[in-house]
Short mmCIF file of all heavy atoms in Angstrom, two decimals:
data_model
loop_
_atom_site.label_atom_id
_atom_site.label_comp_id
_atom_site.label_asym_id
_atom_site.label_seq_id
_atom_site.Cartn_x
_atom_site.Cartn_y
_atom_site.Cartn_z
N ALA C 849 47.74 -34.84 -2.49
CA ALA C 849 46.71 -35.12 -1.50
C ALA C 849 46.61 -36.61 -1.30
O ALA C 849 47.16 -37.40 -2.09
CB ALA C 849 45.37 -34.54 -1.94
N THR C 857 36.41 -31.74 7.64
CA THR C 857 35.67 -31.55 8.89
C THR C 857 35.73 -30.10 9.34
O THR C 857 35.27 -29.75 10.44
CB THR C 857 36.22 -32.44 10.00
OG1 THR C 857 37.60 -32.18 10.18
CG2 THR C 857 36.04 -33.91 9.63
N LEU C 859 34.18 -27.57 8.01
CA LEU C 859 32.98 -26.87 7.64
C LEU C 859 31.76 -27.62 8.15
O LEU C 859 31.84 -28.80 8.43
CB LEU C 859 32.90 -26.74 6.10
CG LEU C 859 33.97 -25.89 5.43
CD1 LEU C 859 33.89 -26.07 3.93
CD2 LEU C 859 33.79 -24.42 5.78
N VAL C 878 55.96 -24.79 -21.88
CA VAL C 878 55.18 -24.36 -23.03
C VAL C 878 55.71 -23.03 -23.50
O VAL C 878 55.95 -22.12 -22.71
CB VAL C 878 53.68 -24.24 -22.63
CG1 VAL C 878 52.85 -23.75 -23.82
CG2 VAL C 878 53.16 -25.57 -22.12
N TYR C 879 55.86 -22.88 -24.79
CA TYR C 879 56.19 -21.62 -25.38
C TYR C 879 54.92 -20.97 -25.85
O TYR C 879 54.19 -21.52 -26.70
CB TYR C 879 57.16 -21.82 -26.53
CG TYR C 879 58.49 -22.33 -26.08
CD1 TYR C 879 58.75 -23.71 -26.09
CD2 TYR C 879 59.48 -21.50 -25.65
CE1 TYR C 879 59.99 -24.20 -25.67
CE2 TYR C 879 60.72 -21.96 -25.22
CZ TYR C 879 60.93 -23.33 -25.23
OH TYR C 879 62.16 -23.83 -24.81
N LYS C 915 29.91 -2.86 -20.54
CA LYS C 915 31.10 -3.55 -19.98
C LYS C 915 31.26 -4.91 -20.63
O LYS C 915 31.49 -5.92 -19.96
CB LYS C 915 30.97 -3.68 -18.48
CG LYS C 915 30.83 -2.38 -17.71
CD LYS C 915 30.65 -2.61 -16.22
CE LYS C 915 30.46 -1.30 -15.46
NZ LYS C 915 30.23 -1.50 -14.03
N PHE C 921 39.52 -15.46 -31.74
CA PHE C 921 40.83 -16.07 -31.92
C PHE C 921 40.80 -17.01 -33.14
O PHE C 921 39.79 -17.65 -33.42
CB PHE C 921 41.24 -16.85 -30.68
CG PHE C 921 41.29 -15.97 -29.43
CD1 PHE C 921 40.19 -15.80 -28.66
CD2 PHE C 921 42.45 -15.30 -29.12
CE1 PHE C 921 40.21 -15.00 -27.54
CE2 PHE C 921 42.50 -14.47 -28.00
CZ PHE C 921 41.38 -14.32 -27.20
N LYS C 933 45.71 -16.76 -19.28
CA LYS C 933 46.30 -15.51 -18.76
C LYS C 933 45.25 -14.63 -18.08
O LYS C 933 45.48 -14.04 -17.04
CB LYS C 933 46.95 -14.72 -19.90
CG LYS C 933 47.69 -13.45 -19.43
CD LYS C 933 48.35 -12.71 -20.55
CE LYS C 933 49.18 -11.54 -20.01
NZ LYS C 933 48.40 -10.63 -19.10
N TYR C 934 44.09 -14.58 -18.71
CA TYR C 934 42.98 -13.78 -18.14
C TYR C 934 42.62 -14.32 -16.74
O TYR C 934 42.49 -13.52 -15.77
CB TYR C 934 41.76 -13.92 -19.08
CG TYR C 934 40.51 -13.21 -18.63
CD1 TYR C 934 40.38 -11.82 -18.84
CD2 TYR C 934 39.44 -13.89 -18.09
CE1 TYR C 934 39.21 -11.16 -18.45
CE2 TYR C 934 38.28 -13.26 -17.73
CZ TYR C 934 38.16 -11.88 -17.92
OH TYR C 934 37.00 -11.24 -17.56
N VAL C 952 33.73 -19.94 -10.39
CA VAL C 952 32.63 -20.81 -10.72
C VAL C 952 32.88 -21.37 -12.13
O VAL C 952 33.18 -20.61 -13.06
CB VAL C 952 31.29 -20.03 -10.70
CG1 VAL C 952 30.13 -20.97 -11.04
CG2 VAL C 952 31.08 -19.41 -9.33
N VAL C 953 32.72 -22.69 -12.29
CA VAL C 953 32.92 -23.29 -13.60
C VAL C 953 31.65 -24.01 -14.04
O VAL C 953 30.79 -24.34 -13.24
CB VAL C 953 34.09 -24.29 -13.59
CG1 VAL C 953 35.40 -23.59 -13.23
CG2 VAL C 953 33.83 -25.44 -12.63
N ASP C 972 52.69 -23.24 -11.73
CA ASP C 972 53.62 -22.96 -10.65
C ASP C 972 53.51 -21.56 -10.10
O ASP C 972 53.96 -21.28 -8.98
CB ASP C 972 55.05 -23.20 -11.13
CG ASP C 972 55.31 -24.66 -11.53
OD1 ASP C 972 54.86 -25.53 -10.78
OD2 ASP C 972 55.89 -24.90 -12.59
N ARG C 987 24.76 -31.90 -12.74
CA ARG C 987 23.80 -32.98 -12.95
C ARG C 987 23.74 -33.79 -11.66
O ARG C 987 24.75 -34.04 -11.00
CB ARG C 987 24.29 -33.89 -14.10
CG ARG C 987 24.26 -33.24 -15.50
CD ARG C 987 25.53 -32.43 -15.82
NE ARG C 987 25.55 -31.85 -17.15
CZ ARG C 987 26.00 -32.48 -18.23
NH1 ARG C 987 26.49 -33.71 -18.11
NH2 ARG C 987 25.94 -31.89 -19.37
N VAL C 989 23.84 -36.72 -10.35
CA VAL C 989 24.34 -38.08 -10.59
C VAL C 989 25.55 -38.30 -9.67
O VAL C 989 26.10 -37.34 -9.15
CB VAL C 989 24.77 -38.28 -12.07
CG1 VAL C 989 23.57 -38.14 -13.01
CG2 VAL C 989 25.87 -37.31 -12.47
N PRO C 1012 43.39 -26.58 -2.33
CA PRO C 1012 43.05 -27.35 -1.11
C PRO C 1012 41.73 -28.08 -1.27
O PRO C 1012 40.72 -27.51 -1.73
CB PRO C 1012 42.95 -26.25 -0.05
CG PRO C 1012 43.82 -25.15 -0.56
CD PRO C 1012 43.65 -25.18 -2.03
N GLY C 1014 39.43 -28.81 0.73
CA GLY C 1014 38.35 -28.12 1.42
C GLY C 1014 37.79 -26.92 0.72
O GLY C 1014 36.80 -26.31 1.14
N LEU C 1023 21.33 -36.58 -2.38
CA LEU C 1023 20.03 -35.96 -2.21
C LEU C 1023 19.25 -35.91 -3.51
O LEU C 1023 19.83 -36.11 -4.59
CB LEU C 1023 20.21 -34.52 -1.67
CG LEU C 1023 20.92 -34.41 -0.31
CD1 LEU C 1023 21.15 -32.93 0.01
CD2 LEU C 1023 20.17 -35.10 0.79
N GLU C 1026 16.00 -31.33 -5.73
CA GLU C 1026 15.53 -30.21 -4.90
C GLU C 1026 16.34 -30.10 -3.62
O GLU C 1026 16.78 -29.00 -3.21
CB GLU C 1026 14.07 -30.37 -4.56
CG GLU C 1026 13.49 -29.24 -3.75
CD GLU C 1026 12.00 -29.35 -3.49
OE1 GLU C 1026 11.43 -30.46 -3.75
OE2 GLU C 1026 11.38 -28.39 -3.02
N ILE C 1045 32.80 -15.75 0.26
CA ILE C 1045 32.12 -15.21 -0.89
C ILE C 1045 31.63 -13.81 -0.53
O ILE C 1045 31.06 -13.58 0.55
CB ILE C 1045 30.92 -16.09 -1.29
CG1 ILE C 1045 31.36 -17.50 -1.61
CG2 ILE C 1045 30.19 -15.46 -2.48
CD1 ILE C 1045 30.20 -18.47 -1.84
N SER C 1048 26.78 -8.96 -3.14
CA SER C 1048 26.61 -7.76 -3.97
C SER C 1048 25.84 -6.68 -3.22
O SER C 1048 24.74 -6.94 -2.72
CB SER C 1048 25.88 -8.15 -5.26
OG SER C 1048 25.46 -6.97 -5.95
N SER C 1049 26.39 -5.50 -3.17
CA SER C 1049 25.70 -4.38 -2.56
C SER C 1049 24.53 -3.91 -3.41
O SER C 1049 23.63 -3.22 -2.91
CB SER C 1049 26.66 -3.22 -2.28
OG SER C 1049 27.23 -2.77 -3.54
N PHE C 1056 30.39 -13.63 -6.99
CA PHE C 1056 31.59 -14.45 -7.25
C PHE C 1056 32.60 -13.59 -8.03
O PHE C 1056 32.26 -12.71 -8.83
CB PHE C 1056 31.23 -15.69 -8.02
CG PHE C 1056 30.45 -16.67 -7.17
CD1 PHE C 1056 29.06 -16.70 -7.18
CD2 PHE C 1056 31.14 -17.58 -6.35
CE1 PHE C 1056 28.34 -17.59 -6.40
CE2 PHE C 1056 30.42 -18.48 -5.57
CZ PHE C 1056 29.01 -18.49 -5.57
N TYR C 1112 33.23 -10.76 -12.66
CA TYR C 1112 33.72 -11.02 -14.02
C TYR C 1112 33.07 -12.33 -14.52
O TYR C 1112 32.93 -13.28 -13.77
CB TYR C 1112 35.25 -11.20 -14.07
CG TYR C 1112 36.00 -9.95 -13.77
CD1 TYR C 1112 36.30 -9.55 -12.45
CD2 TYR C 1112 36.48 -9.11 -14.80
CE1 TYR C 1112 37.00 -8.40 -12.18
CE2 TYR C 1112 37.21 -7.97 -14.55
CZ TYR C 1112 37.44 -7.62 -13.21
OH TYR C 1112 38.16 -6.45 -12.94
N ILE C 1113 32.70 -12.31 -15.77
CA ILE C 1113 32.24 -13.54 -16.43
C ILE C 1113 32.99 -13.72 -17.74
O ILE C 1113 33.05 -12.80 -18.57
CB ILE C 1113 30.71 -13.52 -16.74
CG1 ILE C 1113 29.90 -13.47 -15.45
CG2 ILE C 1113 30.30 -14.73 -17.57
CD1 ILE C 1113 28.42 -13.42 -15.67
N ILE C 1125 23.75 -18.69 -32.87
CA ILE C 1125 23.37 -18.14 -31.58
C ILE C 1125 24.29 -16.97 -31.22
O ILE C 1125 23.81 -15.95 -30.70
CB ILE C 1125 23.46 -19.22 -30.47
CG1 ILE C 1125 22.56 -20.41 -30.82
CG2 ILE C 1125 23.06 -18.62 -29.13
CD1 ILE C 1125 21.09 -20.09 -30.81
N THR C 1128 23.08 -13.96 -33.08
CA THR C 1128 21.89 -13.34 -32.45
C THR C 1128 22.27 -12.65 -31.16
O THR C 1128 21.82 -11.50 -30.91
CB THR C 1128 20.86 -14.43 -32.15
OG1 THR C 1128 20.45 -15.06 -33.39
CG2 THR C 1128 19.63 -13.87 -31.47
N VAL C 1141 21.57 -17.03 -23.10
CA VAL C 1141 22.88 -16.41 -23.11
C VAL C 1141 22.80 -14.91 -23.22
O VAL C 1141 23.66 -14.16 -22.73
CB VAL C 1141 23.78 -16.98 -24.24
CG1 VAL C 1141 23.27 -16.53 -25.62
CG2 VAL C 1141 25.24 -16.63 -24.03
#
Side-chain angles (χ1 to χ4, degrees):
T857 57
L859 295 169
V878 179
Y879 293 94
K915 300 178 183 177
F921 301 90
K933 184 179 187 307
Y934 179 79
V952 180
V953 299
D972 298 316
R987 293 85 178 271
V989 295
L1023 301 175
E1026 183 176 11
I1045 301 173
S1048 167
S1049 60
F1056 290 94
Y1112 293 85
I1113 294 180
I1125 302 294
T1128 299
V1141 71

